[in-house]
Amino acid sequence: MNIRVFAFLVILFGLQTFASLQAQPRQRPGGEPGEIPFKIMGQLTDSETGVPLEYASASLFSVQDSALVDGGITDMQGRFSLAPRPGRYYLRLQFISYEQKFVNDLVLNRENKVIDLGAIKMLPDAETLDEVVVAAKRDQMQLELDKRVFNVSENLSNIGANASEIMDNLPSVSVDVDGNVSLRGSSNVRILVNGKPSGLVGISDTDGLRSLQGDLIERIEVVTNPSARYEASGSAGIINIILKKEREKGFNGSFTTNLGYPANYGFSGSLNYRAGNFNVFGSYGINYRENEGNGYSNRIGFGTDTLITHIDNERLRSSTSHTYRLGTDYYINENNILTASGMIKISDEENIANIIYHDWDVNDALLSNTFRKDVEKEDDDNYEYQFSYRRIMEGEGHELTADFQFRSNDETERSSIDSANLMTDSDQIMYQRSLNVQGDKNILMQVDYVKPLADGKKMEAGYRGNIRKISSDYLVEQIDDMGDWYPYENFSNRFEYDENVHAAYGIFENKMDRWGYQLGLRVEQTLISTYQRETDQANDKRYFNAFPSAFLSYKFDKMKSVQASYSRRISRPRFWYLNPFSSFSDPRNIRTGNTDLDPEYADSYELGWLYNLEKASIYLGGYYRYTTGVIERIETSEDGISTVSTPYNIGTENAYGIETNFSVDPLDWLNINGNANFYRAITKGEYKDVILERDTYTARFRLNNKVKINKVNIQVSGWYRAPENTTQGKRKAMYAMDLGANMDVMKGNGTLVFFVRDVLNSRKYRSSTFSTNFIEESEYQRRGRQLGMSFTYRINQKKSRSKGGRNGGDDMDDGDF
């Protein structure tokens, strides 16, 4: 592992060195070798002392559209030099704790090739800087017609949190006790990182999200009705995690450290340097955290005899994770850009689970009392390498992009299990152990072409190929009286999974003054094969599907618009849904897979109305989703003592919903944003002649208030999830509240944050399950109340800012699909 990390860093260090050697003045058309025909230069000094200002930033903007054209930082003598094309510009000069300065009416042409501004005096003014920083903050939620963008770094309750916890704070998104993510009540949601699949979310489950530090996340995009350009996987929609990456000219960066109780210690830093034709970026994060969880379940089993069982469990999860990211953009010229990047995530976990079983008969006689301790150690190594090419062609928006990604993910889980009968005087201890080795190799190839046509028309086309191979070697052993280990019957297997998906798509779009529409079609060929070594059982799935999409929009004026959309989606069975053996941590609650699962298909319809005001944004929408081949985990028990949870295709589901999002600034010092989602789900299915139906009405609410008092921002947020019926029982209500406060320090270069997550200690998962031969009530808390603080320090960098207004989009280069 260390050799692979060392080799990776050496290669990227060589790439960075090559970048610095190549970032020299290039010959431009019409000039002699080494000559720069057009130049704007000057020197920045302190207005009182005359001392040169080193590492100040100079940014050049086009007068025509205010686009950033060129930029750089001053040298040790405070000098800067920019080399743009001919045109009309204005210059912005900035330095920490100094007033920013603008130089207007800069005109470069053949008669005026060089503009020397000479010495420019900068005035110290920390107060003005503070005001600029506050005004530049982004809204936590930005509403767009095709997606909602959540700037999670602006939410104080997300400080010190991991990706799983941050998602659990997003409107319409929830994370259950096992870490599974659902959107609008459906768990069939596709999770991407920077617009592409990633091993950061884990192989066999979404536990990888727990070790992805929130400090490395810039924003999260939620797409509920994707177009044909997006991969068709995920019937409920797509959640796209965008990691931080700067593209500002010159050198800049930020560093964040956090402390919390229970133990939550972390540090992350990101640096970026852009000069000449190269942009080099990198980040590193380390985190150690402990999560204490506890819960119980009461079960009545109707086997040969009625058995009443109470199970207490306590769990302690501790993990240390390291995340490295390094890459570079190479601007071959203004029309051709190459990007190479790599990412490494290494995490080590230790999970300790203590479970106590109490069994009584119908006469309240204690039949058994067993203690079980499971100590699991998990190593997770994830490597990702990506190369991208972007060619900008003649005509605005005319471009070709190509991406190649390789990722490798290895997980090893080792468990040592002790069980003891607490009813005997002598020690009766049973020793077991398990080993689960999983590997994931994935190759992604993607090409996208966009061609603008006349009169607001546009066409898109592309190809995407994904080749994936996963293996899982699972072994459970038990010790005998002689001290020898032997395989535990029916719990050992090697499972192999191969998936090849090839897709092509085409889109036609037409934007008129008020009306607009988009029509798209995506076709996908899926080849899946699985193999179980122990049973010598192979299973192949082959299917070819077409996925149409359609969008229609109408603008009443600049503030009000309405959009209707339709798309067809697919949810292929996840690996851990197919893997026959997936868990042995609790022999009374066993989870297995089903190799014969078929995919779900969903037709999704949505109608939304968006109203943008100067100080408010309101979105109101209705949606309907019809799903066939619905996959649900069904709990069964043959003896009334132990349950087995296995996924099956059970039938169909109709889901209706109304959702609203809003963000309003009623006062300069107050921001209120929230979300409400009301929906009804009707499921009709069966399993082994047992009818499985539900007709449930439920709702989810979220409200966030942010108040500014002098230089302190205070945030109070809370959410509530109403009860929801399932096909085998009921998920009970759940609610939580978070508090946070932050303040800028060190002349605006630093930010100090305090937070309390789950103030009421109420984030508990409660459910009821009813089956033919058992009923059960359960409650589990994955983590308790958390307190903490964090400090961020920025170098030549303001707080994250929006490029548009309240609903303006950010630079979406990292989020392309």
Side-chain angles (χ1 to χ4, degrees), residues 34 78 106 114 336 350 372 385 464 504 541 584 590 693 706 708 768 780 793 816:
L106 300 175
V114 178
N336 295 273
E350 182 177 78
R372 176 184 177 90
Y385 310 93
R464 178 190 179 96
K541 299 285 186 179
F584 189 66
I590 299 172
E693 294 185 348
K706 193 169 185 181
K708 180 175 176 59
S768 302
Y780 184 69
Y793 182 76
D816 291 343

Side-chain angles (χ1 to χ4, degrees), residues 81 106 228 603 616 669 749 817:
S81 180
L106 300 175
D603 292 277
W669 49 269
N749 299 323
F817 289 74

Side-chain angles (χ1 to χ4, degrees), residues 1-271:
M1 179 179 71
N2 293 333
I3 296 177
R4 297 176 71 179
V5 175
F6 177 75
F8 172 79
L9 294 177
V10 168
I11 292 172
L12 289 179
F13 177 77
L15 181 62
Q16 184 176 1
T17 304
F18 173 76
S20 62
L21 293 174
Q22 291 294 319
Q24 305 295 330
R26 302 172 69 247
Q27 180 180 351
R28 299 194 177 209
E32 297 297 327
E35 178 188 358
I36 301 178
F38 302 99
K39 183 187 297 184
I40 298 175
M41 57 187 181
Q43 182 186 30
L44 301 188
T45 61
D46 184 283
S47 62
E48 298 177 358
T49 64
V51 174
L53 300 180
E54 183 182 1
Y55 293 115
S57 65
S59 304
L60 191 66
F61 298 86
S62 169
V63 171
Q64 181 179 2
D65 57 6
S66 297
L68 179 65
V69 175
D70 200 357
I73 59 174
T74 57
D75 60 16
M76 296 181 64
Q77 301 303 318
R79 298 189 182 95
F80 68 89
S81 180
L82 308 176
R85 289 177 171 272
R88 296 186 61 200
Y89 305 103
Y90 66 91
L91 181 68
R92 184 183 67 191
L93 304 170
Q94 293 176 301
F95 191 62
I96 296 171
S97 77
Y98 283 76
E99 287 187 3
Q100 66 177 348
K101 196 177 187 93
F102 288 89
V103 181
N104 299 314
D105 299 325
L106 300 175
V107 180
L108 286 177
N109 51 41
R110 292 189 177 275
E111 290 72 32
N112 190 30
K113 291 186 175 182
V114 178
I115 298 177
D116 189 349
L117 300 174
I120 302 173
K121 297 180 179 180
M122 303 286 286
L123 297 172
D125 192 343
E127 186 64 29
T128 299
L129 177 63
D130 288 340
E131 293 175 0
V132 171
V133 170
V134 172
K137 285 178 66 62
R138 294 177 303 179
D139 291 325
Q140 295 180 21
M141 176 179 62
Q142 293 172 286
L143 305 176
E144 300 180 12
L145 283 176
D146 61 339
K147 61 176 169 284
R148 268 152 286 177
V149 180
F150 299 95
N151 298 304
V152 296
S153 58
E154 302 294 336
N155 191 325
L156 300 183
S157 63
N158 289 332
I159 302 298
N162 57 42
S164 179
E165 294 165 339
I166 289 175
M167 282 193 179
D168 205 22
N169 271 335
L170 296 182
S172 303
V173 179
S174 61
V175 182
D176 68 14
V177 66
D178 296 314
N180 298 310
V181 180
S182 63
L183 176 61
R184 288 177 171 173
S186 173
S187 61
N188 294 309
V189 57
R190 182 67 159 154
I191 300 175
L192 306 175
V193 177
N194 289 338
K196 298 173 178 63
S198 176
L200 290 177
V201 301
I203 300 177
S204 60
D205 50 34
T206 53
D207 275 357
L209 292 172
R210 291 204 315 267
S211 59
L212 176 56
Q213 287 178 252
D215 298 335
L216 302 177
I217 299 175
E218 176 67 22
R219 64 184 184 274
I220 296 179
E221 301 169 346
V222 177
V223 187
T224 55
N225 213 7
S227 70
R229 189 171 193 253
Y230 297 75
E231 60 174 310
S233 181
S235 60
I238 292 172
I239 298 177
N240 185 29
I241 301 172
I242 304 296
L243 302 181
K244 292 178 179 178
K245 175 184 172 183
E246 295 291 338
R247 280 195 173 90
E248 294 291 334
K249 295 285 187 176
F251 174 78
N252 59 81
S254 66
F255 301 91
T256 298
T257 183
N258 60 273
L259 303 171
Y261 176 82
N264 183 2
Y265 315 119
F267 169 82
S268 65
S270 61
L271 294 173

Side-chain angles (χ1 to χ4, degrees), residues 788-805:
M789 62 179 293
S790 78
F791 174 71
T792 298
Y793 182 76
R794 294 173 290 276
I795 302 175
N796 290 335
Q797 187 182 87
K798 300 292 187 298
K799 287 184 179 180
S800 300
R801 64 191 65 209
S802 172
K803 293 188 176 181

